[in-house]
Amino acid sequence: MNSIQEKEFRRRQISFVGLLSAITVILLGLHYYIYYYFAASVDLKIPLWTVYAFHFIVVLLIYSFINYRHTSGKTDVFNVFMILTFLKMILAVVFLLPVLLSSLENKVPDVLNFFFPYFIYLGLEVWTVTNFLKEKTN
């Protein structure tokens, strides 16, 4: 990469980290608020902050890889996104294994607390990949 590409990479990366951080803080705060007022009696095996840390890290890694490929001139962003999304699904199952294999009577709250933000973050990923694809066609 030349210096112009590096600056473009850094600009997009910093912008995305700011957006991702803001979304994570807002969603986590909202999730804690809802949990505290409506489901405080439910014991969760996986704390909410670890769910959001997982999503933050995985989404950041996926975006960083796609951003790097796009900046390097690789045009197969969609194919890479599909492969990384499949790997993310596998990681999600591995992340949830302690809950799924536990002897908890009610596993639904933990699974729902994981998958609600999962789909919101997935929507964010799709939106960013769509922006990369739009840049490619322009």
Side-chain angles (χ1 to χ4, degrees):
M1 277 194 298
N2 61 34
S3 64
I4 295 172
Q5 289 174 323
E6 287 177 17
K7 287 179 185 176
E8 187 65 22
F9 173 80
R10 277 194 216 111
R11 182 193 62 76
R12 275 197 300 259
Q13 197 70 21
I14 290 169
S15 174
F16 183 76
V17 168
L19 175 68
L20 184 62
S21 298
I23 288 172
T24 300
V25 167
I26 290 168
L27 285 176
L28 181 60
L30 186 62
H31 204 149
Y32 265 118
Y33 177 81
I34 291 169
Y35 174 72
Y36 179 76
Y37 282 104
F38 297 108
S41 62
V42 176
D43 289 328
L44 299 175
K45 183 160 179 74
I46 301 175
L48 288 180
W49 71 268
T50 58
V51 169
Y52 282 90
F54 170 83
H55 289 305
F56 182 88
I57 291 167
V58 171
V59 170
L60 182 61
L61 289 173
I62 289 172
Y63 180 83
S64 299
F65 189 74
I66 290 173
N67 187 18
Y68 178 78
R69 299 256 319 167
H70 180 74
T71 305
S72 299
K74 306 285 193 289
T75 58
D76 58 344
V77 174
F78 182 74
N79 295 334
V80 171
F81 173 72
M82 293 305 293
I83 292 168
L84 292 175
T85 301
F86 180 71
L87 291 174
K88 179 182 173 186
M89 285 186 243
I90 293 170
L91 286 174
V93 170
V94 170
F95 183 81
L96 286 173
L97 272 179
V99 171
L100 300 174
L101 298 177
S102 72
S103 62
L104 289 174
E105 286 182 26
N106 191 6
K107 300 173 185 180
V108 173
D110 280 302
V111 173
L112 287 178
N113 279 329
F114 180 83
F115 279 107
F116 281 138
Y118 179 91
F119 289 115
I120 292 170
Y121 283 104
L122 184 61
L124 177 65
E125 290 175 21
V126 169
W127 178 68
T128 56
V129 168
T130 302
N131 287 340
F132 281 125
L133 293 173
K134 284 180 186 175
E135 280 183 27
K136 178 182 151 186
T137 58
N138 292 338

